[in-house]
């Protein structure tokens, strides 16, 4: 409680760090980026499910180990729908809660404090917007209401009902709580009863660090990676993949899939920085410094349109905040977003990370080093001051939008 009150006082005082000109300039960054193309508004009136996958990183997609696919179900879905392989992580210390905030608000997380512990009113959040469109909004996550302050935050965000730990039978536990198998199975029964159309965010939990649980022991033969963190990670992901396959099949059987847009994505990195050499060994890529690390700082995304009108792979570079504008695009929502949130269906080759990091094409810019790495020729060079100023402004204006304007 004392930490929470300290955080509230801290955020309350944040407004005084910015003058009226700063705040006005931040407001001016809100623009209408969506294009009125053939896809715009095509799924207005359909259901929306945002499926957030715990610690899921896309380097497992399409990979095999000892001749066995790690993610056979997701591999199949990636071929049938629209895959976003270069979806960069924009979370910081808030982890899973940061990802929820980013996707629902189209803004970056803040590096100094978890957004879910601010007095933010989330004025432009997806649940609020969908309520204005006549939807009911829900979140399903088998954890306590108090964890990450979700009970309060979801009410502020406009969520009608949070299906939390109290709403689920805890009949099988893995690591933090209810297994994904049981969570998704029980959630289907709730989804069947929801008034249509609905907005529903679902958050899985079984693939949480440290990934080692007796229920995963026989999931996958990981060979030389047995007993390592990445070996345990691969087993847990193989388990999650099977549950997603069952979940999607059940949605189809119940006739829900044909009227629902599903966007699934990883919430944050699974392999920690101090285990980067295990990751490098598995993906066969050198990770020697921060430039290499942030170049691999990706989760993964999949957009499932009910009529499969768009298939294939997004070749651009995107961030989790772009999911927000993507929803605008698909559902015909005419609201402004910032430069950090644009539709995944637009060609885009850059992404901002809240730590002061900028990925543009095949270059990674780290403002805290004043240098960038050009991966085309494997050279590290000084960053032009104009680029540093641009990155810092994007981050500054984002933080004002989060901490001041949305209060």
């Amino acid at each position: 409680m004392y930490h929470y009150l300290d955080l509230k006082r801290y955020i309350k005082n944040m407004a005084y760090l910015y003058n009226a000109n700063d705040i006005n300039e931040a407001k001016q960054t809100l623009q209408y980026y969506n294009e009125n193309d053939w896809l715009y508004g095509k799924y207005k009136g359909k259901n929306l499910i945002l499926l957030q996958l715990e610690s899921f990183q896309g380097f497992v997609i399409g990979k095999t180990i000892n001749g066995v696919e790690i993610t056979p179900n997701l591999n199949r879905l990636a071929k049938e729908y629209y895959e976003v392989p270069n979806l960069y992580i924009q979370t910081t210390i808030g982890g899973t809660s940061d990802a929820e905030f980013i996707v629902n608000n189209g803004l970056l997380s803040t590096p100094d404090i978890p957004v879910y512990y601010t007095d933010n009113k989330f004025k432009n959040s997806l649940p609020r917007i969908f309520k204005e469109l006549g939807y009911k909004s829900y979140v399903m996550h088998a954890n306590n209401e108090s964890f990450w302050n979700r009970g309060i935050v979801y009410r502020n965000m406009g969520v009608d009902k949070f299906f939390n730990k109290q709403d689920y039978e805890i009949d099988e536990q893995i690591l933090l709580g209810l297994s994904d198998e049981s969570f998704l199975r029980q959630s289907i029964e709730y989804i069947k009863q929801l008034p249509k159309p609905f907005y529903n965010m679902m958050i899985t939990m079984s693939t949480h660090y440290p990934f080692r649980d007796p229920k995963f022991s026989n999931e996958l033969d990981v060979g030389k990676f047995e007993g390592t963190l990445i070996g345990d990670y691969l087993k847990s992901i193989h388990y999650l993949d099977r549950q997603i396959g069952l979940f999607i099949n059940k949605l189809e059987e119940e006739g829900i899939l044909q009227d629902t847009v599903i966007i699934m994505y990883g919430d944050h990195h699974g392999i920690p920085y101090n285990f980067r050499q295990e990751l490098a060994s598995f993906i066969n890529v050198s990770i020697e410094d921060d430039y290499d690390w942030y170049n691999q700082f990706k989760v993964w995304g999949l957009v499932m349109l009910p009529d499969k009108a768009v298939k294939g792979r997004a070749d651009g570079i995107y961030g989790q905040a772009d999911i927000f504008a993507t929803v605008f695009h698909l559902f015909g929502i005419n609201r402004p977003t910032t430069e950090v949130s644009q539709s995944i269906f637009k060609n885009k080759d850059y992404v901002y990370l809240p730590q002061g990091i900028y990925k543009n094409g095949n270059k990674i810019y780290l403002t805290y080093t004043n240098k960038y790495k050009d991966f085309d020729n494997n050279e590290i060079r000084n960053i032009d001051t104009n680029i540093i100023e641009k990155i810092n402004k994007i981050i500054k204006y984002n933080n004002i939008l989060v901490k001041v304007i949305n209060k």
Side-chain angles (χ1 to χ4, degrees):
M1 173 59 78
Y2 292 112
H3 290 300
Y4 176 62
L5 293 174
D6 285 344
L7 290 172
K8 285 195 72 173
R9 283 193 291 269
Y10 171 78
I11 290 299
K12 185 176 181 180
N13 292 327
M14 284 302 298
Y16 300 111
L17 295 179
Y18 307 110
N19 59 43
N21 186 59
D22 290 335
I23 294 171
N24 184 59
E25 287 182 357
K27 289 178 180 178
Q28 297 305 312
T29 65
L30 289 165
Q31 298 179 33
Y32 292 85
Y33 287 102
N34 278 315
E35 296 176 356
N36 193 2
D37 58 12
W38 69 274
L39 200 57
Y40 181 81
K42 191 173 190 296
Y43 303 95
K44 188 175 183 179
K46 297 293 185 183
N47 307 314
L48 173 63
I49 293 178
L50 298 175
L51 182 55
Q52 182 167 299
L53 308 178
E54 173 65 42
S55 303
F56 189 90
Q57 287 189 256
F59 66 82
V60 295
I61 297 293
K63 292 285 196 305
T64 63
I65 190 163
N66 293 321
V68 177
E69 288 182 280
I70 299 168
T71 56
N73 291 287
L74 291 176
N75 294 344
R76 172 180 58 83
L77 292 173
K79 292 175 182 176
E80 294 180 12
Y81 295 96
Y82 193 63
E83 180 187 7
V84 190
N86 295 315
L87 186 69
Y88 277 77
I89 302 165
Q90 294 173 308
T91 63
T92 52
I93 57 177
T96 299
S97 67
D98 276 355
E100 296 173 40
F101 166 77
I102 293 164
V103 168
N104 276 303
N105 295 273
L107 296 167
L108 305 178
S109 60
T110 50
D112 51 3
I113 186 172
V115 179
Y116 272 17
Y117 285 100
T118 70
D119 54 358
N120 199 300
K121 295 301 184 291
F122 308 98
K123 296 176 181 177
N124 198 39
S125 67
L126 288 180
R128 283 188 180 277
I129 292 168
F130 273 92
K131 281 168 68 70
E132 293 174 13
L133 297 176
Y135 284 59
K136 292 290 186 180
S137 59
Y138 306 92
V139 175
M140 295 179 180
H141 180 49
N143 210 330
N144 296 314
E145 265 198 322
S146 59
F147 198 81
W148 280 124
N149 202 35
R150 285 188 173 102
I152 294 172
V153 169
Y154 291 158
R155 285 192 289 275
N156 287 346
M157 207 178 284
V159 173
D160 289 305
K161 164 71 176 173
F162 174 25
F163 292 89
N164 59 74
K165 186 176 181 179
Q166 303 304 315
D167 298 290
Y168 290 87
E169 179 187 355
I170 310 302
D171 53 3
E172 182 184 43
Q173 184 153 331
I174 292 178
L175 294 173
L176 288 186
L178 183 64
S179 72
D180 287 346
E181 186 280 325
S182 183
F183 166 65
L184 293 172
R185 172 172 45 79
Q186 293 185 58
S187 294
I188 285 280
E189 298 307 310
Y190 286 128
I191 291 171
K192 286 162 59 176
Q193 301 171 35
L194 298 181
K196 312 299 189 294
F198 61 76
Y199 158 98
N200 186 24
M201 168 170 268
M202 305 177 67
I203 305 162
T204 68
M205 194 158 50
S206 293
T207 49
H208 194 280
Y209 181 89
F211 317 116
R212 181 171 294 182
D213 189 277
K215 292 184 175 65
F216 298 150
S217 58
N218 297 318
E219 274 294 329
L220 194 64
D221 178 6
V222 295
K224 67 178 183 179
F225 296 104
E226 185 65 43
T228 66
L229 183 94
I230 197 156
D232 293 336
Y233 179 76
L234 297 178
K235 291 181 181 183
S236 72
I237 293 298
H238 189 69
Y239 163 86
L240 172 62
D241 174 83
R242 186 168 67 258
Q243 310 317 320
I244 292 173
L246 293 170
F247 175 68
I248 297 299
N249 289 343
K250 190 64 174 174
L251 287 179
E252 187 169 25
E253 289 174 15
E254 297 292 343
I256 299 168
L257 195 63
Q258 66 192 26
D259 289 316
T260 305
V261 172
I262 300 176
I263 303 178
M264 64 178 78
Y265 57 94
D267 61 353
H268 53 71
H269 65 282
I271 308 304
Y273 183 79
N274 54 324
F275 287 90
R276 63 191 179 280
Q277 293 310 321
E278 286 191 18
L279 173 62
S281 175
F282 179 73
I283 63 177
N284 196 29
V285 170
S286 175
I287 304 178
E288 299 298 333
D289 53 31
D290 283 5
Y291 304 98
D292 297 338
W293 172 251
Y294 283 110
N295 202 41
Q296 300 298 330
F297 211 57
K298 295 182 285 188
V299 281
W300 179 80
L302 184 70
V303 181
M304 299 175 59
L305 303 178
D307 58 356
K308 301 183 181 180
V310 183
K311 300 181 181 181
R313 288 165 57 98
D315 293 328
I317 297 171
Y318 304 93
Q320 292 164 313
D322 291 317
I323 294 172
F324 181 77
T326 302
V327 172
F328 280 14
H329 195 169
L330 295 174
F331 287 83
I333 298 170
N334 190 28
R335 295 288 187 94
T337 62
T338 73
E339 187 178 348
V340 303
S341 182
Q342 298 187 49
S343 175
I344 284 167
F345 293 100
K346 294 177 64 176
N347 189 24
K348 180 169 170 282
D349 63 355
Y350 68 88
V351 66
Y352 293 93
L353 277 61
Q355 302 90 336
I357 297 165
Y358 177 53
K359 163 83 172 175
N360 189 343
N362 214 17
K363 300 179 178 67
I364 287 281
Y365 297 78
L366 306 181
T367 57
Y368 59 86
T369 67
N370 289 324
K371 296 182 184 297
Y372 73 96
K373 185 169 186 177
D374 185 338
F375 285 89
D376 286 331
N377 51 33
N378 201 35
E379 289 184 0
I380 296 177
R381 302 169 180 168
N382 293 325
I383 305 177
D384 185 279
T385 54
N386 291 332
I387 294 179
I388 292 178
E389 183 179 351
K390 179 182 178 181
I391 297 169
N392 288 339
K393 276 189 175 181
I394 291 288
I395 303 301
K396 176 182 177 180
Y397 294 154
N398 176 85
N399 291 344
I400 291 173
L401 290 170
V402 174
K403 297 176 178 179
V404 181
I405 294 174
N406 276 295
K407 285 186 65 173

